Amino acid sequence: MECPQNAVIALGLVSLVFDLFRGKKLKGNTTQDEGTCMVLVASLSANMWLGCLFILVDFGQIEVHRVAWQGLGLGLALAGLALRFGAMLQLGSSFTWELQRGEASALKTNGLFRWVRHPSYSGGLVAGTGLLLGLGNVIPVCLFLLTHSIAVARRIGVEERLLRRYHGDAFDAYAVRTGALTPFPALEEAIVSRLARFTHIAATAARINDALAAAAGLPPLPPGVPQLSALPLFGNMRERLANPIELVTRARRELGDIGVFRAGPLPFVLLHAPRDVESFLQARTCDFTRGLGFEVLRPVLGDGLFTCPEDIWKPQRRLAQSSLQMKQVQASVPHWTSVAFNWTRRWTQNEGKARGAVVVDMKREASCLALEGYFRTQIGLHLPEEYESIAKATDILKSNAHKRLHAFFLRSEMWPTPSNLALRREKRYLNRLCETLLARAHEAPQGSFLAVHAAALAQGHEAVPHKRRFHEQLITFLITGHETVAATLAFGVQLLAFHPDAQARLHSECNASNVPELPTAADLSRLPFLSATVKEWLRLFPAAWLISKQATQDVSIGRFSFAKGTVFATVPFAVHRDDRFWSEPQRFKPERFLQGEPTERFAWFPFGAGPRACIGAAFATLELEVLLFHLVRAWSFAPVEPSPVPPEFSVTLKPLGSLPIRCERRSRDA
């Protein structure tokens, strides 16, 4: 690290210590008319610091041997932020404490000097600048200084007007009426005073965000639509990244069934009531197209069915549907049975080596199991040596897609960042795999996904006019065809492990004397608790946890009329857990589907609805039923950890980290 950067950080530390000691000697007053920029600037600064850290980590500019300097820089930033908030709450305007001390010459003091001297300014400014310079990124420094200087300049102007208005006896009378505060006692009164002006701050932030959304081409929101309070520029991104479901739940609680949250400055109209979800997904499908995020994902996934433009979506969907007809879906049952037996045999061998129950990472096992099943049923080939590599590649693609969806500034995929380099490497691998599959397409059974698309490519079909489109479509279905099933299966086995009563009931039904050992699709349809269990899995852990679309024309939903271009979203994960539609919504209770729940049609929609519903819904449901049938007949499951593994809200829902489960072989007469 260069010497000037060391000096800046040292200066920031000295300035903070100096201001802390000076602050103890000051007395001040709070006023109801002070400028509102301080809260906004403090929030902007905190977000800027953390955002810069994330950017630099992604660029690989933060190295292990610089951890000490990073810790010092972050400590300075947090200390500066705390000092500024404390000064804001306790000291108020810089001029109030100057006048309290009888310094009438404050009117003539240079404004910049007062700004630097005041604890609410100098600590945060120097600490923030020192941190950013210490990390060696010049652009965020410039952005920070620009936004900070503009806001502080406005606050100085407000204080000048206050001073002139309340100078002398009038000012003293006003100070007595509003209550004088020493630097540290009576914080509660100061906080209440500031909260009284929060509505004005929120309105200012909303105006800033509305202007930025308009600059991005989004229409204004209708008057009266309720909105969550949001930071200017950053919106509700911090809450969305930390816990998106808590954000959605808060929006439902505070705003009702229709409300607005912001991803950055961009507004998303959140729909929660089943009647609005039905209008959004099914009744008025011609009024909506896919949301903004799909364009962001195209550099990662290309023009496959999930992200392709509207003009080629219908041809691609029709071609893909030809390999997912109900006849092909039902004919896949023996293949899934074979896959289940293979994995049962593998676990049995591991159990023998372990001399007892075997502990497996169900997240990893379910991923490889679903991949093998997809290859056997839809590709028509068996490539056991490739499944681990494919699972790794698809994880990296999804991770990169997740970063792009939540990035504040979109970076080109051509930049040589570590994540982009990993993305290119795995895409090259998947493209080579697609070439191998295309060369072996003649081995695929007729009607399979590979055979259908290879034939369409040879004929120049509009859905796959060239190899690149063939690769993108195949990669898209490799990801969506196995990842969502794998995540649901992993979560489902975990639910059974933590609910032995439901597991015992399910085993009893699947092991009944009148149920064949190798059931067909018709046999499985006569097992109601098996079907109810899979539905309950999909209720609690829908892979498509969020669905977003954009209006193609003016639409009316509820009591509001929204302009063309408005972005809407609904969250199945939250609707599926709403106590208005479900009894004991947080509890794993498969029998609810045998008792008439839910009463609302669109209180359960794990695959979406309408023309854009998941194309493989029937395939995935039957696949889960076959795998569950064979696994629960042969194995019992028990948890390893004392509490369940929580979900990660990525592009799709998946377990956060590994998911260890203890599997024990059942005796044949069990």
Side-chain angles (χ1 to χ4, degrees):
M1 186 174 291
E2 299 177 2
C3 181
Q5 296 168 348
N6 289 340
V8 171
I9 290 183
L11 178 61
L13 183 61
V14 172
S15 174
L16 287 178
V17 173
F18 177 71
D19 282 332
L20 283 171
F21 278 104
R22 289 189 73 237
K24 292 182 179 180
K25 301 178 181 180
L26 303 181
K27 294 183 178 181
N29 302 96
T30 59
T31 65
Q32 297 291 335
D33 298 332
E34 288 179 348
T36 61
C37 289
M38 181 56 65
V39 173
L40 304 183
V41 171
S43 300
L44 276 171
S45 301
N47 281 278
M48 182 71 73
W49 296 332
L50 296 177
C52 291
L53 284 174
F54 292 143
I55 291 171
L56 291 167
V57 168
D58 193 44
F59 269 100
Q61 294 185 9
I62 292 183
E63 302 169 5
V64 176
H65 67 275
R66 298 175 63 182
V67 169
W69 283 108
Q70 295 158 28
L72 175 60
L74 185 58
L76 286 174
L78 295 177
L81 183 62
L83 178 63
R84 294 175 63 197
F85 267 117
M88 177 195 71
L89 293 174
Q90 299 161 12
L91 301 179
S93 165
S94 61
F95 294 97
T96 57
W97 59 262
E98 289 277 2
L99 289 176
Q100 192 86 3
R101 296 171 64 195
E103 297 181 8
S105 61
L107 269 174
K108 301 179 181 179
T109 304
N110 180 273
L112 181 62
F113 181 63
R114 289 197 304 272
W115 162 38
V116 172
R117 281 171 50 182
H118 194 268
S120 64
Y121 301 142
S122 56
L125 180 63
V126 176
T129 306
L131 172 64
L132 296 174
L133 286 177
L135 293 174
N137 197 324
V138 178
I139 295 178
V141 175
C142 298
L143 291 174
F144 170 79
L145 290 176
L146 177 64
T147 56
H148 193 285
S149 301
I150 291 173
V152 167
R154 184 187 183 283
R155 180 171 172 82
I156 289 176
V158 171
E159 292 179 14
E160 289 278 6
R161 291 193 294 273
L162 277 173
L163 182 62
R164 292 190 176 94
R165 183 185 306 173
Y166 299 116
H167 189 260
D169 296 337
F171 179 82
D172 294 336
Y174 184 82
V176 171
R177 188 169 68 254
T178 56
L181 295 178
T182 56
F184 294 97
L187 273 179
E188 182 177 356
E189 182 181 348
I191 293 173
V192 170
S193 173
R194 298 298 172 175
L195 289 179
R197 293 167 44 234
F198 181 74
T199 302
H200 177 64
I201 295 174
T204 303
R207 287 195 294 271
I208 295 172
N209 286 328
D210 288 341
L212 293 172
L218 296 182
L221 294 169
V225 63
Q227 304 184 41
L228 285 178
S229 58
L231 294 173
L233 190 63
F234 296 93
N236 304 110
M237 283 296 289
R238 182 167 52 188
E239 294 173 89
R240 185 173 178 233
L241 292 175
N243 191 335
I245 298 305
E246 178 59 33
L247 173 66
V248 171
T249 303
R250 184 167 73 89
R252 163 70 187 89
R253 183 174 61 249
E254 297 179 7
L255 309 180
D257 286 331
I258 300 179
V260 175
F261 75 91
R262 292 182 182 268
L266 306 182
F268 281 71
V269 179
L270 190 63
L271 305 177
H272 203 83
R275 62 181 182 277
D276 297 330
V277 173
E278 180 180 11
S279 176
F280 172 55
L281 295 180
Q282 188 168 32
R284 307 182 60 178
T285 55
C286 59
D287 296 341
F288 298 94
T289 185
R290 57 189 60 197
L292 298 175
F294 291 93
E295 286 299 318
V296 176
L297 296 179
R298 284 183 69 189
V300 179
L301 300 177
D303 287 335
L305 182 65
F306 188 63
T307 52
C308 66
E310 289 293 319
D311 57 336
I312 61 174
W313 174 77
K314 285 186 177 179
Q316 284 198 2
R317 186 176 178 93
R318 282 196 297 267
L319 184 65
Q321 276 180 327
S322 63
S323 63
L324 291 169
Q325 300 296 329
M326 186 54 65
K327 184 187 297 184
Q328 284 100 326
V329 171
Q330 293 178 347
S332 69
V333 172
H335 297 291
W336 286 110
T337 298
S338 175
V339 171
F341 281 164
N342 287 344
W343 284 86
T344 295
R345 193 180 308 115
R346 180 172 176 268
W347 290 351
T348 302
Q349 293 171 354
N350 292 340
E351 184 187 34
K353 295 177 183 178
R355 297 181 181 180
V358 59
V359 175
V360 302
D361 178 2
M362 191 53 66
K363 177 182 177 180
R364 175 181 173 277
E365 297 290 309
S367 179
C368 292
L369 190 154
L371 254 179
E372 180 179 342
Y374 185 79
F375 264 76
R376 285 182 179 272
T377 56
Q378 288 297 303
I379 304 299
L381 301 173
H382 182 39
L383 304 175
E385 69 282 359
E386 299 288 352
Y387 297 148
E388 289 276 1
S389 300
I390 295 173
K392 175 187 173 185
T394 55
D395 274 345
I396 289 178
L397 260 64
K398 287 183 63 176
S399 174
N400 193 283
H402 177 73
K403 286 183 179 180
R404 290 185 65 84
L405 280 176
H406 294 89
F408 190 75
F409 295 104
L410 281 181
R411 300 185 302 275
S412 169
E413 65 276 10
M414 300 303 295
W415 291 9
T417 66
S419 58
N420 280 344
L421 293 175
L423 174 65
R424 292 181 208 169
R425 182 179 64 251
E426 300 306 330
K427 287 182 75 172
R428 285 195 298 269
Y429 164 73
L430 290 174
N431 284 327
R432 289 196 302 270
L433 176 68
C434 290
E435 285 292 336
T436 301
L437 296 177
L438 182 60
R440 298 181 59 182
H442 61 279
E443 303 176 30
Q446 187 177 6
S448 65
F449 182 90
L450 178 59
V452 167
H453 283 75
L457 176 62
Q459 298 167 6
H461 192 282
E462 59 180 330
V464 280
H466 42 69
K467 279 189 177 181
R468 181 174 61 82
R469 185 70 53 74
F470 173 84
H471 290 182
E472 292 167 347
Q473 184 79 324
L474 186 54
I475 290 171
T476 295
F477 274 80
L478 276 178
I479 296 174
T480 58
H482 95 276
E483 190 74 24
T484 54
V485 169
T488 305
L489 180 62
F491 281 125
V493 171
Q494 175 177 250
L495 287 170
L496 292 177
F498 278 91
H499 296 84
D501 292 343
Q503 186 179 166
R505 179 175 175 180
L506 182 62
H507 174 259
S508 176
E509 181 181 79
C510 294
N511 208 40
S513 58
N514 61 335
V515 179
E517 187 176 353
L518 300 176
T520 63
D523 295 325
L524 294 174
S525 67
R526 291 191 289 270
L527 302 176
F529 195 74
L530 176 71
S531 175
T533 300
V534 171
K535 288 181 179 179
E536 183 73 343
W537 288 2
L538 294 168
R539 181 187 75 85
L540 289 171
F541 297 102
W545 66 276
L546 180 144
I547 301 172
S548 173
K549 294 187 179 183
Q550 190 170 17
T552 57
Q553 54 187 314
D554 295 350
V555 294
S556 294
I557 296 182
R559 66 181 190 276
F560 301 105
S561 295
F562 298 93
K564 174 184 177 180
T566 304
V567 181
F568 294 83
T570 186
V571 182
F573 188 95
V575 178
H576 290 181
R577 296 168 183 249
D578 192 319
D579 58 9
R580 295 178 297 170
F581 319 125
W582 305 91
S583 61
E584 300 178 285
Q586 301 296 334
R587 182 184 164 198
F588 176 63
K589 191 171 123 179
E591 57 270 19
R592 71 174 76 245
F593 287 95
L594 307 178
Q595 299 167 353
E597 289 191 39
T599 56
E600 296 275 359
R601 162 66 181 87
F602 278 84
W604 185 81
F605 53 107
F607 298 107
R612 292 189 177 274
C614 175
I615 192 173
F619 180 83
T621 302
L622 183 58
E623 175 184 350
L624 287 168
E625 290 179 356
V626 173
L627 293 175
L628 176 58
F629 174 86
H630 291 290
L631 291 179
V632 82
R633 274 174 62 100
W635 296 87
S636 64
F637 305 105
V640 175
E641 304 293 340
S643 58
V645 173
E648 178 183 355
F649 298 93
S650 184
V651 179
T652 56
L653 202 68
K654 62 180 182 180
L656 181 62
S658 61
L659 201 160
I661 294 291
R662 178 175 288 103
C663 305
E664 186 170 358
R665 181 79 175 177
R666 294 183 187 271
S667 61
R668 290 189 178 274
D669 56 349

